[in-house]
Structures are given as structure tokens and as C-alpha cells.
Amino acid sequence: MFDCPSPTTLVPPPQALAQTSEFRGALSLNGQSPVLLPDLNNTLVTTRRMSAGFQVAMINRAPLDHPDQLIEALRTVGLGRTPVILSPEHPSPELAGIGALPLVTPAFVALLDLKQTAGSQREALHQKWRNRLNRAQGRGLRVSRQNMPLDPNHWLFAADQAQQRKRGYRSWPVALTLAYAKANKGQAKLFQAFEGTTAVAAILILRHGRGATYHISHTTQTGKALSAHNLLMWEVMLWLARKGCEQLDLGLINTEEAPGLARFKLGTGARLSQLGGTWLLWPPLGRLFSPLARWDRKLMSAMKC
């Protein structure tokens, strides 16, 4: 269980990466055709043709504050009879009222507020995290920052692909990450730590508007021993703050399958933010599913602190 910190109000909050114009540009460059819902603040919808031949739409990390308007908005862009996978930015139990079926209960992401001085940011670090940073800063590591090279064979991609296979999960394809870097020049920043001439850790950050997202990272065994990941993250935080970035999205927190990574992310002083779970909406059957959806409505509500 988590101790819920006091909420931090960001007005208006930076958009999640999946709902940004930068992400839309990357999708388009990668040969995909995202759809916007103009009646719902240009909510971004992606579509996929399944092997069975039917189309599925997906809405990821959108603030679905008006579920009652969603079906009409989908109908307006020709998706009124298409199954839709919904993963809202915030708990949205009201989706049950339009017949959306809950599939996966809400997860949490870690959001780091960057609108602080460097001194306040350092004070907000958890003690063990700060100790590791202090050690890393005394190890003589060299830190570099550059635009992500448009090279599918870059060592960070190879290491990340190997890690995905080992741990059994899937992330963005390399082609989409490269498309993001190409479509948004200067917004995909690679930070690397070197011991001598050898890279021992790397973090790839994607910037978008007033926000940024922790996208890919890897640390070698030597890098772990030197706490290089802490040093790189600290440099990322300072650089983003200097550039006027307000929030860094550190991604999902999974204390069961990746407890070490969860501790690392929360050790930065990031706060937990609950997402809205995953739902299935098939508009033609919405009224039929509505009573069934309401049975599980409590599971998709916000966790009370």
C-alpha cells in the first residue's frame, strides 16, 4: 500500500505524452493515422486493424472529464461502431454510465514537479537516494547530453530490447522512438554517464510542451555500483527545470514486478497519481452493457487517502 501525499495542483497540468501533438507527429511519421476528437479538446485516438480484420480504437491517458459526450464525439469522426479501449488519465467511474466495461483496475504513475529551486529539489530527495547521488558525484563520472542519434543500432536500444525480452514486457518499437526524435527535433534528449570512455548508464527523455517523459533507461553492472543512474536523473531534473519544463512523468509504478525501479522513481520526490484503469467501450452495445459495468464501478474509482 502507498501513503498518499498531499495533492499538488497544476493549473493546467501538462498533457501526458500520449495526448500531445508531438506524439501525433511521431505516429504520422511512422506511417500511422491518429484521429482527433475536436469535440473533446482534440483527444487523440489511435486505431489498429486486428488480424481478424476488424478495427479497434484506443484512447490513452486522456482526461475524459465528460464521458457522456464521448460516444457522440466518436460518431462524429466515423468511430461510432468501433470497439474502443479507454485508459483515462484520471479515475473515471462515470464511464460505467455509458456502458464501458472495466477490464483492468487503475494503476499509478510517478509525476515529478520541476517548478522548484535546485536546493528545494535536492531537499525533496529521499535520504538513501540523496546518499547515492552524493557518492556518484564523487566517482569522477562524465555526463553527456545530446539529441538522440537516429541510429536503430544504438547501444541503448539494444540494451532496452534485451531487457524487455528478459522481463517479458513490450514498450515502444524502436522505429516509433526514432520517428519521435525525427519529427520533434531537439525534443528527444539522451543523457549518458561514462567511466573513462565506457558508457555505464543512459536515460532518454522525451520533451512535449511544458512536460517531459522518462522514456528509456539502462544501467550496466558497473553503472549500478557507481550509482550512475542517480547522477543522470539528477542532471535530467536540473536541465529540464532550466529549460522551463514543469513536470517529468516517470511512468508506471509497479512495486510487485519492479520494486527497485519503483523505489528509484519515488526517491526523486515524485508524487503518485492514479490513472483511470482500462475499459472497453463498444458504442452499439453501450446500453446493454451499462448495468454490468456498474457492478464493478467501485473498482475503478479513485483510491481514497
Side-chain angles (χ1 to χ4, degrees):
M1 296 298 291
F2 299 112
D3 292 326
C4 295
S6 300
T8 300
T9 302
L10 301 174
V11 183
Q15 289 180 303
L17 174 60
Q19 287 298 318
T20 62
S21 59
E22 290 86 354
F23 182 57
R24 176 159 49 96
L27 289 172
S28 298
L29 191 61
N30 199 44
Q32 300 178 54
S33 301
V35 177
L36 295 180
L37 302 181
D39 295 336
L40 285 182
N41 298 317
N42 285 328
T43 291
L44 190 149
V45 185
T46 58
T47 58
R48 178 181 299 175
R49 184 69 61 179
M50 307 304 288
S51 57
F54 65 92
Q55 180 177 249
V56 172
M58 288 160 283
I59 299 179
N60 188 28
R61 298 286 300 271
L64 299 178
D65 299 324
H66 302 286
D68 56 311
Q69 301 175 13
L70 179 58
I71 291 179
E72 182 58 34
L74 290 167
R75 186 179 295 119
T76 299
V77 297
L79 296 174
R81 303 189 65 80
T82 300
V84 185
I85 302 296
L86 305 170
S87 300
E89 178 70 358
H90 308 294
S92 302
E94 297 82 7
L95 286 169
I98 61 172
L101 290 175
L103 301 179
V104 181
T105 54
F108 288 83
V109 292
L111 301 178
L112 181 61
D113 181 11
L114 299 175
K115 303 188 303 298
Q116 308 177 58
T117 65
S120 296
Q121 199 79 268
R122 196 174 188 109
E123 288 180 5
L125 300 174
H126 291 197
Q127 185 62 54
K128 288 184 179 180
W129 208 104
R130 190 186 305 116
N131 291 343
R132 292 189 179 98
L133 172 61
N134 290 336
R135 287 197 295 269
Q137 289 177 321
R139 296 296 180 87
L141 294 170
R142 178 174 61 88
V143 174
S144 71
R145 183 188 71 247
Q146 66 184 107
N147 292 337
M148 184 68 211
L150 299 178
D151 176 11
N153 298 313
H154 191 277
W155 77 267
L156 178 57
F157 290 137
D160 183 60
Q161 294 292 307
Q163 183 170 274
Q164 289 185 45
R165 289 191 295 270
K166 180 179 179 180
R167 297 183 180 177
Y169 70 93
R170 294 181 62 186
S171 185
W172 284 23
V174 172
L176 182 56
T177 298
L178 292 176
Y180 191 98
K182 190 172 182 179
N184 305 285
K185 297 187 184 303
Q187 301 303 295
K189 288 293 183 182
L190 174 66
F191 291 75
Q192 296 182 92
F194 294 86
E195 184 187 36
T197 59
T198 303
V200 296
I203 296 176
L204 176 59
I205 297 293
L206 303 183
R207 292 196 60 193
H208 42 88
R210 294 178 292 113
T213 294
Y214 175 93
H215 185 52
I216 299 174
S217 69
H218 185 77
T219 307
T220 67
Q221 289 301 318
T222 299
K224 290 178 182 178
L226 297 173
S227 299
H229 204 179
N230 299 73
L231 177 61
L232 281 185
M233 179 58 74
W234 179 245
E235 293 295 328
V236 166
M237 292 159 60
L238 294 180
W239 182 78
L240 287 174
R242 288 197 302 268
K243 291 297 181 179
C245 185
E246 297 179 4
Q247 179 176 277
L248 176 59
D249 187 336
L250 295 173
L252 291 173
I253 294 295
N254 189 332
T255 57
E256 294 184 1
E257 297 181 10
L261 183 57
R263 287 192 296 270
F264 174 81
K265 291 178 178 180
L266 294 176
T268 64
R271 66 182 177 90
L272 288 170
S273 179
Q274 190 176 12
L275 300 179
T278 302
W279 302 72
L280 170 63
L281 174 66
W282 195 356
L285 300 181
R287 290 184 179 180
L288 179 62
F289 286 162
S290 184
L292 179 62
R294 288 193 178 96
W295 288 349
D296 291 329
R297 183 169 180 167
K298 288 184 179 181
L299 295 177
M300 310 302 279
S301 300
M303 179 182 291
K304 296 182 179 180
C305 299

